[in-house]
Amino acid sequence: MKRVVQSRRKVFGQLLEHARRQPHRECCGILAGQDGVITQAFPAKNVAADPIRNYEIAPKEIVHLMEQFRERRLAFLGIYHSHPNWMDTNEPSPKDIALAYYSGAIYFIVTPRPYATTPFRAFSIRDGRAMELEIQVLP
Ligand SMILES: [Zn+2]
């Protein structure tokens, strides 16, 4: 049985819009919400040296976003990034798994490809292993 992650519908629109703005490279950001339900996506800058193949959010930007979450009574729930349109799947890459520092976070991977069967996938990544979660979309 898959563990479930709940998210508001509008968040998926935000992720897709962000991923499609530059579909040939990876985009990234942070997901926040309340009571375990993701309610908002906060786009971040991808500062990876090679943003075509990787993503990295500057620690400074994470700290800044955390401050905003505190003010708005939101909890940090996850991290999202896209796999560009030239990549086949939105499965965590070995690098995604190696660099998943926030073991409590849920990692969403988005594909900007039109008509993708799974435009969004969510994973829990711990101890070098990724486990897919079931996404429940709330209104
Ligand atoms: Zn990735």
PDB file of all heavy atoms in Angstrom, residues 26 53-55 81-84 87 91-93 95-96 109, ligand 1:
ATOM      1  N   GLU A  26      15.811  22.237 -15.842  1.00  0.00           N
ATOM      2  CA  GLU A  26      15.107  21.890 -14.613  1.00  0.00           C
ATOM      3  C   GLU A  26      14.691  23.144 -13.851  1.00  0.00           C
ATOM      4  O   GLU A  26      15.440  24.105 -13.754  1.00  0.00           O
ATOM      5  CB  GLU A  26      16.006  21.012 -13.719  1.00  0.00           C
ATOM      6  CG  GLU A  26      16.378  19.705 -14.404  1.00  0.00           C
ATOM      7  CD  GLU A  26      16.851  18.616 -13.440  1.00  0.00           C
ATOM      8  OE1 GLU A  26      16.807  18.809 -12.211  1.00  0.00           O
ATOM      9  OE2 GLU A  26      17.269  17.560 -13.945  1.00  0.00           O
ATOM     10  N   ARG A  53      20.632  19.558 -16.373  1.00  0.00           N
ATOM     11  CA  ARG A  53      20.611  18.198 -15.829  1.00  0.00           C
ATOM     12  C   ARG A  53      20.403  18.107 -14.329  1.00  0.00           C
ATOM     13  O   ARG A  53      20.188  17.017 -13.808  1.00  0.00           O
ATOM     14  CB  ARG A  53      21.947  17.503 -16.150  1.00  0.00           C
ATOM     15  CG  ARG A  53      22.009  17.067 -17.569  1.00  0.00           C
ATOM     16  CD  ARG A  53      23.374  16.515 -17.938  1.00  0.00           C
ATOM     17  NE  ARG A  53      23.375  16.263 -19.369  1.00  0.00           N
ATOM     18  CZ  ARG A  53      23.608  17.209 -20.262  1.00  0.00           C
ATOM     19  NH1 ARG A  53      23.884  18.441 -19.879  1.00  0.00           N
ATOM     20  NH2 ARG A  53      23.553  16.926 -21.546  1.00  0.00           N
ATOM     21  N   ASN A  54      20.516  19.198 -13.627  1.00  0.00           N
ATOM     22  CA  ASN A  54      20.435  19.164 -12.167  1.00  0.00           C
ATOM     23  C   ASN A  54      19.650  20.345 -11.635  1.00  0.00           C
ATOM     24  O   ASN A  54      19.376  21.292 -12.360  1.00  0.00           O
ATOM     25  CB  ASN A  54      21.839  19.238 -11.552  1.00  0.00           C
ATOM     26  CG  ASN A  54      22.672  18.039 -11.915  1.00  0.00           C
ATOM     27  OD1 ASN A  54      22.295  16.915 -11.648  1.00  0.00           O
ATOM     28  ND2 ASN A  54      23.807  18.293 -12.543  1.00  0.00           N
ATOM     29  N   TYR A  55      19.360  20.256 -10.338  1.00  0.00           N
ATOM     30  CA  TYR A  55      18.765  21.415  -9.685  1.00  0.00           C
ATOM     31  C   TYR A  55      19.398  21.576  -8.320  1.00  0.00           C
ATOM     32  O   TYR A  55      19.874  20.608  -7.718  1.00  0.00           O
ATOM     33  CB  TYR A  55      17.247  21.270  -9.546  1.00  0.00           C
ATOM     34  CG  TYR A  55      16.827  20.362  -8.411  1.00  0.00           C
ATOM     35  CD1 TYR A  55      16.417  20.901  -7.190  1.00  0.00           C
ATOM     36  CD2 TYR A  55      16.853  18.987  -8.551  1.00  0.00           C
ATOM     37  CE1 TYR A  55      16.029  20.074  -6.144  1.00  0.00           C
ATOM     38  CE2 TYR A  55      16.469  18.159  -7.508  1.00  0.00           C
ATOM     39  CZ  TYR A  55      16.060  18.708  -6.312  1.00  0.00           C
ATOM     40  OH  TYR A  55      15.684  17.891  -5.282  1.00  0.00           O
ATOM     41  N   HIS A  81      10.977  19.615  -8.314  1.00  0.00           N
ATOM     42  CA  HIS A  81      11.809  20.014  -9.447  1.00  0.00           C
ATOM     43  C   HIS A  81      11.257  19.344 -10.694  1.00  0.00           C
ATOM     44  O   HIS A  81      10.434  18.443 -10.610  1.00  0.00           O
ATOM     45  CB  HIS A  81      13.295  19.720  -9.223  1.00  0.00           C
ATOM     46  CG  HIS A  81      13.700  18.282  -9.328  1.00  0.00           C
ATOM     47  ND1 HIS A  81      13.430  17.355  -8.352  1.00  0.00           N
ATOM     48  CD2 HIS A  81      14.365  17.611 -10.294  1.00  0.00           C
ATOM     49  CE1 HIS A  81      13.931  16.183  -8.709  1.00  0.00           C
ATOM     50  NE2 HIS A  81      14.501  16.302  -9.893  1.00  0.00           N
ATOM     51  N   SER A  82      11.686  19.831 -11.836  1.00  0.00           N
ATOM     52  CA  SER A  82      11.188  19.243 -13.077  1.00  0.00           C
ATOM     53  C   SER A  82      12.304  18.448 -13.741  1.00  0.00           C
ATOM     54  O   SER A  82      13.487  18.691 -13.500  1.00  0.00           O
ATOM     55  CB  SER A  82      10.700  20.335 -14.027  1.00  0.00           C
ATOM     56  OG  SER A  82      11.779  21.138 -14.463  1.00  0.00           O
ATOM     57  N   HIS A  83      11.893  17.499 -14.517  1.00  0.00           N
ATOM     58  CA  HIS A  83      12.830  16.823 -15.412  1.00  0.00           C
ATOM     59  C   HIS A  83      12.500  17.341 -16.800  1.00  0.00           C
ATOM     60  O   HIS A  83      11.356  17.242 -17.236  1.00  0.00           O
ATOM     61  CB  HIS A  83      12.664  15.307 -15.322  1.00  0.00           C
ATOM     62  CG  HIS A  83      13.396  14.723 -14.159  1.00  0.00           C
ATOM     63  ND1 HIS A  83      13.362  13.405 -13.829  1.00  0.00           N
ATOM     64  CD2 HIS A  83      14.215  15.322 -13.249  1.00  0.00           C
ATOM     65  CE1 HIS A  83      14.128  13.202 -12.756  1.00  0.00           C
ATOM     66  NE2 HIS A  83      14.652  14.345 -12.374  1.00  0.00           N
ATOM     67  N   PRO A  84      13.469  17.899 -17.480  1.00  0.00           N
ATOM     68  CA  PRO A  84      13.199  18.571 -18.749  1.00  0.00           C
ATOM     69  C   PRO A  84      12.609  17.643 -19.800  1.00  0.00           C
ATOM     70  O   PRO A  84      12.648  16.425 -19.663  1.00  0.00           O
ATOM     71  CB  PRO A  84      14.561  19.091 -19.176  1.00  0.00           C
ATOM     72  CG  PRO A  84      15.535  18.673 -18.171  1.00  0.00           C
ATOM     73  CD  PRO A  84      14.857  17.949 -17.079  1.00  0.00           C
ATOM     74  N   MET A  87      14.107  14.353 -21.137  1.00  0.00           N
ATOM     75  CA  MET A  87      14.266  13.177 -20.286  1.00  0.00           C
ATOM     76  C   MET A  87      13.011  12.324 -20.347  1.00  0.00           C
ATOM     77  O   MET A  87      11.910  12.842 -20.457  1.00  0.00           O
ATOM     78  CB  MET A  87      14.508  13.606 -18.838  1.00  0.00           C
ATOM     79  CG  MET A  87      15.965  13.738 -18.506  1.00  0.00           C
ATOM     80  SD  MET A  87      16.230  14.397 -16.862  1.00  0.00           S
ATOM     81  CE  MET A  87      16.248  12.913 -15.874  1.00  0.00           C
ATOM     82  N   GLU A  91      11.288  10.073 -12.738  1.00  0.00           N
ATOM     83  CA  GLU A  91      11.730   9.229 -11.635  1.00  0.00           C
ATOM     84  C   GLU A  91      12.953   9.886 -11.029  1.00  0.00           C
ATOM     85  O   GLU A  91      13.716  10.522 -11.739  1.00  0.00           O
ATOM     86  CB  GLU A  91      12.201   7.877 -12.172  1.00  0.00           C
ATOM     87  CG  GLU A  91      11.077   7.081 -12.715  1.00  0.00           C
ATOM     88  CD  GLU A  91      11.157   5.620 -12.349  1.00  0.00           C
ATOM     89  OE1 GLU A  91      12.124   5.227 -11.674  1.00  0.00           O
ATOM     90  OE2 GLU A  91      10.239   4.912 -12.740  1.00  0.00           O
ATOM     91  N   PRO A  92      13.166   9.701  -9.735  1.00  0.00           N
ATOM     92  CA  PRO A  92      14.357  10.312  -9.130  1.00  0.00           C
ATOM     93  C   PRO A  92      15.626   9.754  -9.762  1.00  0.00           C
ATOM     94  O   PRO A  92      15.750   8.545  -9.945  1.00  0.00           O
ATOM     95  CB  PRO A  92      14.266   9.904  -7.659  1.00  0.00           C
ATOM     96  CG  PRO A  92      12.888   9.394  -7.441  1.00  0.00           C
ATOM     97  CD  PRO A  92      12.367   8.949  -8.762  1.00  0.00           C
ATOM     98  N   SER A  93      16.537  10.631 -10.143  1.00  0.00           N
ATOM     99  CA  SER A  93      17.818  10.200 -10.697  1.00  0.00           C
ATOM    100  C   SER A  93      18.722   9.797  -9.528  1.00  0.00           C
ATOM    101  O   SER A  93      18.440  10.151  -8.380  1.00  0.00           O
ATOM    102  CB  SER A  93      18.449  11.352 -11.474  1.00  0.00           C
ATOM    103  OG  SER A  93      18.811  12.384 -10.567  1.00  0.00           O
ATOM    104  N   LYS A  95      21.349  11.064  -8.681  1.00  0.00           N
ATOM    105  CA  LYS A  95      21.772  12.300  -8.032  1.00  0.00           C
ATOM    106  C   LYS A  95      20.658  12.871  -7.146  1.00  0.00           C
ATOM    107  O   LYS A  95      20.908  13.373  -6.055  1.00  0.00           O
ATOM    108  CB  LYS A  95      22.177  13.314  -9.096  1.00  0.00           C
ATOM    109  CG  LYS A  95      23.012  14.411  -8.527  1.00  0.00           C
ATOM    110  CD  LYS A  95      23.902  15.037  -9.569  1.00  0.00           C
ATOM    111  CE  LYS A  95      24.756  16.094  -8.891  1.00  0.00           C
ATOM    112  NZ  LYS A  95      25.702  16.700  -9.790  1.00  0.00           N
ATOM    113  N   ASP A  96      19.421  12.796  -7.634  1.00  0.00           N
ATOM    114  CA  ASP A  96      18.287  13.262  -6.824  1.00  0.00           C
ATOM    115  C   ASP A  96      18.256  12.514  -5.495  1.00  0.00           C
ATOM    116  O   ASP A  96      17.966  13.088  -4.445  1.00  0.00           O
ATOM    117  CB  ASP A  96      16.956  13.002  -7.537  1.00  0.00           C
ATOM    118  CG  ASP A  96      16.753  13.899  -8.747  1.00  0.00           C
ATOM    119  OD1 ASP A  96      17.401  14.949  -8.824  1.00  0.00           O
ATOM    120  OD2 ASP A  96      15.940  13.528  -9.613  1.00  0.00           O
ATOM    121  N   ILE A 109       8.376  15.381  -8.548  1.00  0.00           N
ATOM    122  CA  ILE A 109       9.059  15.560  -9.836  1.00  0.00           C
ATOM    123  C   ILE A 109       7.994  15.777 -10.904  1.00  0.00           C
ATOM    124  O   ILE A 109       7.032  15.019 -11.005  1.00  0.00           O
ATOM    125  CB  ILE A 109       9.968  14.360 -10.170  1.00  0.00           C
ATOM    126  CG1 ILE A 109      10.944  14.112  -9.012  1.00  0.00           C
ATOM    127  CG2 ILE A 109      10.729  14.630 -11.478  1.00  0.00           C
ATOM    128  CD1 ILE A 109      11.902  12.964  -9.234  1.00  0.00           C
TER     129      ILE A 109
HETATM  130 ZN    ZN B   1      15.778  15.046 -10.860  1.00  0.00          ZN
END
